[in-house]
Amino acid sequence: MKETFTVDICGRKEALPVLQLESGPKIAFFNLHGNVTLTEYCAEKLAQKIAGKADVLLTAESKGLQLGHCVARNLGQPLYAVARKSKKLYMQDGISVTVQSITTKEEQHLYLSAHDAALLSGKRVAIVDDVVSTGGSIEAMRELVRLAGGQVTVQAAVLAEGDAKERADVVYLAHIPLL
């Protein structure tokens, strides 16, 4: 039987598989891919916490995509921006930053198309992600917002992992420890 960690997300209990990272610690792995009811539930709860605090959302692919989509819908925002992990053909005139994440060994880049950068320009922006741990992804998205001319007014995640629970600058629904 595989090891799991049970997290309570605003009254909804989820058993998360425990995985060993190459860097040493174990994590309770949170994955929204393919889980419609969990994604919808978390998006509704996050939207309640950030309502009225931003004009537009920014999320990162890939696990943030469906969450960001659902949060934006719940907030009545018809568009949201996506920080991509690879540069697509239509992104030649966009902007990029470098990021290091706890779950990825190599340095990564986040790219924002010119269209999405324009969407953020002059706007109050909510950064929405599935999990905040070291904060590397959020910091990279903050820099994208700055480069695009927007202002981050709220940062939100479904889960705060490890010491991220101490961050007063991130709204989150539940905490999971590093194991």
Side-chain angles (χ1 to χ4, degrees):
M1 181 175 212
K2 289 190 174 193
E3 182 181 4
T4 62
F5 176 86
T6 301
V7 63
D8 183 330
I9 304 171
C10 302
R12 180 181 172 140
K13 293 187 181 352
E14 291 292 325
L16 308 179
V18 174
L19 303 177
Q20 179 78 48
L21 295 177
E22 286 184 31
S23 60
K26 290 181 179 180
I27 61 167
F29 184 65
F30 182 65
N31 185 9
L32 292 173
H33 284 314
N35 193 330
V36 174
T37 58
L38 180 59
T39 300
E40 293 284 350
Y41 179 83
C42 294
E44 179 184 340
K45 298 298 183 188
L46 273 183
Q48 290 169 0
K49 287 188 173 269
I50 67 172
K53 296 180 180 176
D55 306 311
V56 66
L57 304 181
L58 171 64
T59 193
E61 68 176 7
S62 69
K63 290 193 292 176
L65 282 174
Q66 63 269 24
L67 178 66
H69 176 95
C70 294
V71 172
R73 186 191 63 234
N74 280 309
L75 294 173
Q77 296 177 357
L79 299 171
Y80 61 97
V82 178
R84 304 217 179 257
K85 292 182 180 176
S86 62
K87 191 173 188 177
K88 310 296 183 197
L89 181 61
Y90 65 90
M91 302 175 87
Q92 300 309 311
D93 55 353
I95 54 180
S96 69
V97 296
T98 302
V99 62
Q100 186 67 49
S101 169
I102 191 172
T103 55
T104 307
K105 194 167 137 179
E106 296 83 24
E107 181 178 85
Q108 294 180 306
H109 298 277
L110 289 180
Y111 301 90
L112 198 62
S113 69
H115 172 270
D116 282 356
L119 184 63
L120 304 179
S121 181
K123 301 280 182 30
R124 299 177 308 147
V125 179
I127 293 174
V128 175
D129 210 352
D130 61 334
V131 178
V132 60
S133 185
T134 63
S137 297
I138 282 184
E139 290 308 312
M141 285 190 279
R142 284 184 68 84
E143 181 62 7
L144 285 174
V145 172
R146 186 190 72 75
L147 291 170
Q151 176 190 5
V152 176
T153 53
V154 64
Q155 301 171 136
V158 175
L159 301 176
E161 182 176 60
D163 292 340
K165 73 177 180 179
E166 306 300 329
R167 291 184 64 147
D169 65 331
V170 178
V171 173
Y172 61 90
L173 302 179
H175 170 258
I176 54 174
L178 286 172
L179 305 167

